């Protein structure tokens, strides 16, 4: 199979397309013919060596494709089913991938749209669960999302609204109309954030989620009434300094979100825009755009038939 790989840490230029042996589904796994792969910030952080790991490494966590093999114990899918989920070992940017956590692609979505979902959806769900948004005591509360227009931020806004929360989101003025379309009340980020939020919520907010990692944890703590009401997914050092919860997947993942999201999608209450697609051979360019950090929505690689432009 063809697969994207890097043998050295560095810039996007270290990515290469190589031939590798086909993987085989083990117990509890399915193998998919990959049609699309989402690009996430974790991908380029790993490529740059910021998260460690041995070399060479494959890349790609978000996968959408067609089941072409099932391992022992698999009874919930059949050959030919369209599924999306997490590539085992982050090796999804390839013609074939193994998945242990997956769900049927909602009928209204193509492969590119489905590949935009897994990481953003799981991360947002895990963070909202940690904050208690949508629980018996948290429904109807006000949530502040710092960095509300990226993949995780957009997902968190929509999921929180669906759970009955009032959402205030930070974004540049150019993205305020987009945030309103998701159901959030927008405010500009930058100096004076506390005052701007208090014009909308004079008594502050009940919880705050930091997606952007822009050094605003003290302001979020002030608005939420304490560090225990704040979760960050990006600012590890700030979380340690200020006593804020740092949420990451190795402490327990919300994989249940994959099977649950279809109902909201089909009801028109949840979507993640695909900002741009690339063939697998142009993965370096996709990484460059992701690393630039100014993308609204998800970047997606098209593989197999999708990559040749004859179907999604």
């Amino acid at each position: 199979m063809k697969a994207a790989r890097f043998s050295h840490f560095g810039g996007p230029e270290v990515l290469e397309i190589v031939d590798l042996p086909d993987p085989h589904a083990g117990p509890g796994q399915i193998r998919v013919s990959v049609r699309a792969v989402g690009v996430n910030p974790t991908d380029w952080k790993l490529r740059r060596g910021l998260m460690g790991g041995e070399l060479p490494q494959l890349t790609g966590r978000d996968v959408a494709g067609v089941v072409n093999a099932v391992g022992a114990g698999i009874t919930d899918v059949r050959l030919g089913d369209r599924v999306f989920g997490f590539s085992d070992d982050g090796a999804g940017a390839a013609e074939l991938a193994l998945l242990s956590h997956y769900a049927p692609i909602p009928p209204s979505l193509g492969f590119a749209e489905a590949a935009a979902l897994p990481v953003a959806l799981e991360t947002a769900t895990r963070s909202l669960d940690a904050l208690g948004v949508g629980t018996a005591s948290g429904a109807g509360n006000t949530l502040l999302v710092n960095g509300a227009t990226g993949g995780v931020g957009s997902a968190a806004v929509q999921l929180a609204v669906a759970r009955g929360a009032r959402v205030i989101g930070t974004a540049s003025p150019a993205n305020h109309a987009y945030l309103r379309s998701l159901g959030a009340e927008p405010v500009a980020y930058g100096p004076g954030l506390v005052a701007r939020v208090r014009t909308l919520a004079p008594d502050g907010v009940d919880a705050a989620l930091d997606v952007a990692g822009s050094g605003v944890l003290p302001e979020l703590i002030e608005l939420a009434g304490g560090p225990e009401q704040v979760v960050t997914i990006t600012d590890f050092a700030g979380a340690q300094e200020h006593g804020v919860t740092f949420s990451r997947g190795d402490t327990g993942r919300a994989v249940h979100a994959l099977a649950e999201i279809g109902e909201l999608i089909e009801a028109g209450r949840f979507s993640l825009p695909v900002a741009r697609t690339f063939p697998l051979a142009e993965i370096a360019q996709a990484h460059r755009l992701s690393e630039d950090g100014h993308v609204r929505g998800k970047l997606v690689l098209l593989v197999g038939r999708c990559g040749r432009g004859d179907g999604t």
Side-chain angles (χ1 to χ4, degrees), residues 13-147:
E13 68 278 359
V14 303
L15 291 161
E16 56 183 350
I17 305 299
V18 299
D19 291 310
L20 294 176
D22 292 353
H24 298 283
Q29 290 181 314
I30 63 172
R31 187 177 72 180
V32 301
S33 294
V34 178
R35 295 290 183 263
V37 184
V39 177
N40 295 288
T42 299
D43 298 333
W44 57 260
K45 291 177 183 178
L46 284 165
R47 188 206 71 228
R48 289 176 56 188
L50 300 178
M51 302 176 68
E54 297 182 359
L55 294 169
Q57 284 188 36
L58 302 182
T59 185
R61 190 71 173 160
D62 290 338
V63 171
V66 177
V67 178
N68 75 356
V70 298
I74 297 295
T75 60
D76 56 351
V77 294
R78 295 182 294 182
L79 301 184
D81 285 354
R82 300 189 327 143
V83 297
F84 73 111
F86 300 101
S87 164
D88 292 352
D89 301 321
E95 292 178 320
L96 296 170
L98 301 177
L99 282 68
S100 297
H101 299 291
Y102 53 86
I105 294 176
S108 64
L109 297 189
F111 289 114
E113 292 82 8
L117 294 174
V119 167
L121 175 63
E122 187 279 328
T123 304
T125 300
R126 169 169 29 95
S127 301
L128 295 181
D129 289 348
L131 288 167
V133 176
T135 63
S137 60
N141 285 352
T142 299
L143 171 71
L144 173 62
V145 179
N146 179 51

Side-chain angles (χ1 to χ4, degrees), residues 248-267:
R248 59 187 179 190
D250 58 5
T251 58
R253 296 166 59 203
V255 294
H256 60 87
L258 296 178
E260 295 169 354
I261 196 60
E263 183 177 352
L264 285 178
I265 289 173
E266 296 307 301

Side-chain angles (χ1 to χ4, degrees), residues 156-307:
V157 167
Q158 294 174 87
L159 291 173
V161 169
R163 294 182 181 198
R166 176 193 181 193
V167 182
I168 299 172
T170 71
S172 65
N175 285 321
H176 283 191
Y178 169 69
L179 266 187
R180 290 190 186 95
S181 75
L182 300 183
E185 300 169 59
V187 295
Y189 54 75
L193 175 64
V194 171
R196 287 192 295 276
V197 171
R198 288 196 182 278
T199 63
L200 298 175
D203 296 326
V205 299
D206 299 295
L209 172 59
D210 174 34
V211 178
S214 51
V216 298
L217 289 183
E219 288 89 342
L220 301 187
I221 292 169
E222 179 181 348
L223 286 164
E228 66 278 1
Q229 308 302 329
V230 180
V231 166
T232 180
I233 65 168
T234 52
D235 191 353
F236 180 71
Q240 289 187 310
E241 179 182 356
H242 300 289
V244 165
T245 296
F246 181 79
S247 180
R248 59 187 179 190
D250 58 5
T251 58
R253 296 166 59 203
V255 294
H256 60 87
L258 296 178
E260 295 169 354
I261 196 60
E263 183 177 352
L264 285 178
I265 289 173
E266 296 307 301
R269 300 177 63 195
F270 185 95
S271 66
L272 281 183
V274 174
R276 186 171 171 184
T277 62
F278 303 81
L280 180 62
E282 295 179 11
I283 185 173
Q285 178 60 15
H287 272 228
R288 287 188 184 94
L289 283 183
S290 177
E291 200 165 353
D292 184 53
H294 297 290
V295 178
R296 188 175 79 187
K298 290 296 292 284
L299 303 172
V300 175
L301 303 168
L302 301 181
V303 187
R305 290 201 301 268
C306 287

